Amino acid sequence: MRRPMQQLTLIYSLVRHISHFNFILPSSRKERSCFWHSWLIRVSAPDQRSYFYISIYFTADTMTVTRVLVILCSLHVQCTVGQSVSVTVATDKEIATIDDHFVGVTFDSQMLPISINWMGLDFGSPKVQTLAKALSPCYLRIGGTPGDFMTFDPTGHGGTSPDSTYTGAEWDKLNNFLETVGWDLVFGLNVLKRKDGQWDPDNAKELMTYSNARNYKIPAFELGNEPSYFPEPFTDTISGAQLGRDFAHLREILKSTTGFESTLVIGPDVTGITGKKSLVFRDFFKGEGSKAVDRITFHQYYAYKSFGTPDACTDPKVMDSLISDIETARNVTTPSNPDTPLWLGETSTFYGGGTPGVSDRYVAGFLWLDKLGIASRMGLKGVLRQSYYGKNYSLIEMNSFEPYPDYWLTLLYKRLVGNKVLSVQTNSTNSFRVYAHCANQNSVYNYKPGSVVVYIINVNIYTTVVTFPQFQKNMDLFWLRPEFIDLTSRNVTLNGKRLDYVNNTIPDMPPQKAYGGLLMLPARTFGFAVFPDADVDICK
């Protein structure tokens, strides 16, 4: 067996004529006092257009590994290892908590009408059901601008347009699906049904009566969608104060309606929280609205779809814009509702349906995983992803129902991330973003009490060496990369293996085992690391 410096000589003989290389994914396993390391190196020609891969396999302790990196980067080559980061997790107390419903999904209300037929979504498909069950427990929010033009017609013979009507039969399909997959409904009622300047609840009551007769459970109702942006002729016709009174009316009805006494009222589902359009949001909480809601919701996107680019998805400034949005929402709601949970009631990458070739690709995962990290760290209690099905920002593809990369990311998040949120200290820039929780102890991985999970978004253009001084033992790595080098890859790999749904089965998603508290994380990738032997008391 070669000694580490002899191995380094071998490595040098391989790379001394190479103009560029990049470490793709390390792996290691312990053997005696050292570690076996396997490095996959991408070797590029000077013009970066042609490349090949070489694999290097050697033993060394972690200090030798670091020295190897330093020496390699000085050997007549351009090395992309440009940052060393130390990550420390504060384990004395949690800074926030989430629950198992923290990550939810949505359908747009445009799927409701008879004429649309759920946009081709087959509720009876084993594939659709299996993929949905895997995300349970989960809220499904149905809302959107079309919902404020919808009428519930139990028989379908009420004379309303099929383009704005949903029937008892469609409602049955939905509720049977929800029961099958274990999801909980958040349903947006039509607030533009008006009488004498107030919300007319008659059609909502008809829906409640129909649902109660069939024992359908509706955990939460919303009332209206994005009230600052009602289309003509309803633009600016409902003030924030009046909307608050409408919400209070809904709450009274629920408390007195059999089967709905404990149903939550969620809202006001605003998207304008700054500038002139924020008036409805502010006035809502100055009036009766503050006492009418059990959860506060606002909508958040990073930009319109025409501005959605891969560079925007990896821009720390774009990511950080969510922080100021949450702070703005808190500044409005905290004076009247300091203890009411705050949700992102509808959120994704780019509004208008998402950007083709971006919102449905690997690169969108940078914004999605970072959003979950920021939201949990800042104390939000719910994040509802637009959408589960429909348009370019969906989790599964229309018609084929094939999972997009963000589906697999969402599934891993639900399986790995526990309820207690922990504080993280690093010496990195905001291009290397780290979040920590107690690990989920109730998933297929059966992590023991005391385990910790971190999730990392590396938007640097170079490989980053990461050390965890507290956790020097076992690590389980779940690292997601595009199938091909292009960040707009349609498919995603987990620890180098492509994730595919085959034979109506969610694939096994085993971790890659690592040791020694050191990782080398590839440029522009993201993933999770679990420390099953962390033995943290607050995670027990």
Side-chain angles (χ1 to χ4, degrees):
M1 182 179 296
R2 293 183 177 91
R3 298 172 62 85
M5 286 303 104
Q6 292 173 320
Q7 293 167 336
L8 181 56
T9 302
L10 174 61
I11 294 170
Y12 174 67
S13 70
L14 289 171
V15 303
R16 62 193 177 94
H17 298 299
I18 295 169
S19 61
H20 181 92
F21 68 92
N22 181 30
F23 294 93
I24 302 300
L25 186 67
S27 62
S28 58
R29 62 183 177 85
K30 192 169 183 180
E31 184 172 296
R32 298 180 183 175
S33 61
C34 293
F35 293 85
W36 280 100
H37 297 269
S38 177
W39 288 352
L40 180 63
I41 298 179
R42 180 176 184 262
V43 181
S44 300
D47 61 5
Q48 297 292 300
R49 293 179 181 176
S50 58
Y51 56 87
F52 61 93
Y53 293 94
I54 59 175
S55 180
I56 296 174
Y57 188 57
F58 65 102
T59 59
D61 57 29
T62 57
M63 287 301 295
T64 302
V65 171
T66 303
R67 289 197 298 270
V68 168
L69 287 174
V70 171
I71 295 171
L72 279 174
C73 290
S74 67
L75 295 178
H76 309 296
V77 295
Q78 177 188 353
C79 181
T80 59
V81 178
Q83 186 180 33
S84 178
V85 174
S86 176
V87 175
T88 302
V89 179
T91 58
D92 55 331
K93 63 179 181 180
E94 66 267 31
I95 58 172
T97 59
I98 59 174
D99 65 21
D100 293 340
H101 281 76
F102 175 68
V103 182
V105 295
T106 72
F107 288 165
D108 195 281
S109 296
Q110 71 178 44
M111 296 173 65
L112 282 171
I114 305 169
S115 61
I116 301 300
N117 192 28
W118 298 103
M119 296 174 65
L121 180 63
D122 181 2
F123 288 132
S125 162
K127 185 176 189 178
V128 170
Q129 292 182 2
T130 300
L131 291 171
K133 282 180 183 178
L135 299 182
S136 181
C138 184
Y139 282 119
L140 172 67
R141 180 250 186 182
I142 300 182
T145 298
D148 287 320
F149 297 88
M150 293 290 170
T151 298
F152 175 65
D153 181 357
T155 64
H157 302 297
T160 56
S161 168
D163 294 332
S164 59
T165 301
Y166 59 105
T167 65
E170 297 304 308
W171 192 245
D172 293 342
K173 287 181 187 177
L174 171 66
N175 281 276
N176 290 335
F177 171 74
L178 293 172
E179 183 176 4
T180 298
V181 302
W183 285 5
D184 297 304
L185 182 61
V186 177
F187 189 74
L189 297 168
N190 182 349
V191 76
L192 293 183
K193 288 188 176 294
R194 315 294 294 175
K195 182 186 293 183
D196 300 326
Q198 301 179 40
W199 175 57
D200 180 357
D202 287 351
N203 194 242
K205 289 180 179 179
E206 190 172 10
L207 177 65
M208 293 177 201
T209 299
Y210 183 94
S211 299
N212 187 59
R214 289 154 182 78
N215 201 33
Y216 296 152
K217 304 301 180 185
I218 306 177
F221 277 122
E222 298 174 344
L223 185 59
N225 180 76
E226 299 181 354
S228 297
Y229 290 88
F230 286 144
E232 295 289 353
F234 299 99
T235 307
D236 299 328
T237 59
I238 303 177
S239 68
Q242 179 58 53
L243 186 65
R245 291 189 286 271
D246 294 338
F247 268 76
H249 191 187
L250 171 60
R251 189 176 188 86
E252 292 171 359
I253 291 170
L254 292 173
K255 295 299 182 186
S256 60
T257 301
T258 301
F260 292 89
E261 298 88 346
S262 60
T263 295
L264 302 176
V265 177
I266 295 178
D269 280 284
V270 296
T271 193
I273 62 172
T274 59
K276 294 181 179 179
K277 291 294 186 179
S278 68
L279 187 61
V280 170
F281 188 41
R282 297 176 187 277
D283 287 350
F284 181 90
F285 287 99
K286 291 178 181 177
E288 294 183 45
S290 63
K291 298 178 181 178
V293 290
D294 299 294
R295 305 288 186 271
I296 298 169
T297 54
F298 73 99
H299 298 178
Q300 183 271 341
Y301 295 84
Y302 296 100
Y304 183 57
K305 62 182 180 181
S306 61
F307 297 99
T309 64
D311 284 345
C313 292
T314 56
D315 186 343
K317 292 181 180 178
V318 174
M319 295 174 176
D320 286 341
S321 66
L322 175 60
I323 297 173
S324 59
D325 288 343
I326 294 173
E327 290 173 343
T328 298
R330 279 253 165 79
N331 290 339
V332 172
T333 61
T334 298
S336 61
N337 295 65
D339 300 318
T340 306
L342 183 64
W343 286 12
L344 291 177
E346 177 189 310
T347 188
S348 194
T349 48
F350 309 108
Y351 65 91
T355 305
V358 176
S359 296
D360 52 1
R361 297 295 187 258
Y362 172 85
V363 72
F366 290 96
L367 291 178
W368 179 224
L369 186 56
D370 191 72
K371 187 192 303 281
L372 296 176
I374 288 176
S376 61
R377 186 185 66 194
M378 295 187 70
L380 271 63
K381 301 299 182 181
V383 178
L384 304 186
R385 166 63 183 258
Q386 179 89 344
S387 62
Y388 182 71
Y389 179 86
K391 301 199 174 178
N392 296 301
Y393 42 33
S394 62
L395 294 184
I396 64 173
E397 190 170 10
M398 294 182 66
N399 301 316
S400 73
F401 316 134
E402 281 295 308
Y404 281 123
D406 273 4
Y407 173 86
W408 301 115
L409 175 56
T410 305
L411 178 58
L412 277 174
Y413 187 96
K414 279 182 164 284
R415 286 182 172 183
L416 296 175
V417 176
N419 296 343
K420 292 182 179 180
V421 187
L422 308 177
S423 179
V424 177
Q425 292 81 42
T426 75
N427 60 341
S428 65
T429 68
N430 66 349
S431 295
F432 189 85
R433 306 165 77 89
V434 187
Y435 304 93
H437 294 237
C438 295
N440 186 354
Q441 299 169 22
N442 300 309
S443 76
V444 296
Y445 299 108
N446 293 316
Y447 284 115
K448 59 189 176 183
S451 301
V452 169
V453 59
V454 300
Y455 44 108
I456 299 173
I457 302 99
N458 183 16
V459 297
N460 289 316
I461 59 173
Y462 41 73
T463 297
T464 302
V465 180
V466 189
T467 58
F468 301 91
Q470 299 159 280
F471 309 127
Q472 293 290 322
K473 297 182 180 178
N474 300 333
M475 293 184 288
D476 283 358
L477 191 63
F478 300 82
W479 208 252
L480 295 164
R481 297 169 51 217
E483 181 183 18
F484 303 109
I485 301 231
D486 191 346
L487 292 181
T488 58
S489 173
R490 167 60 179 82
N491 297 304
V492 63
T493 66
L494 174 65
N495 298 329
K497 182 178 181 180
R498 181 171 135 172
L499 293 173
D500 287 301
Y501 180 88
V502 180
N503 298 325
N504 291 322
T505 303
I506 301 289
D508 290 335
M509 301 170 72
Q512 177 179 325
K513 299 295 183 179
Y515 306 88
L518 181 145
L519 294 172
M520 289 173 9
L521 301 181
R524 295 203 167 181
T525 58
F526 48 80
F528 304 81
V530 180
F531 303 95
D533 300 316
D535 198 31
V536 171
D537 287 340
I538 62 170
C539 295
K540 295 179 179 178

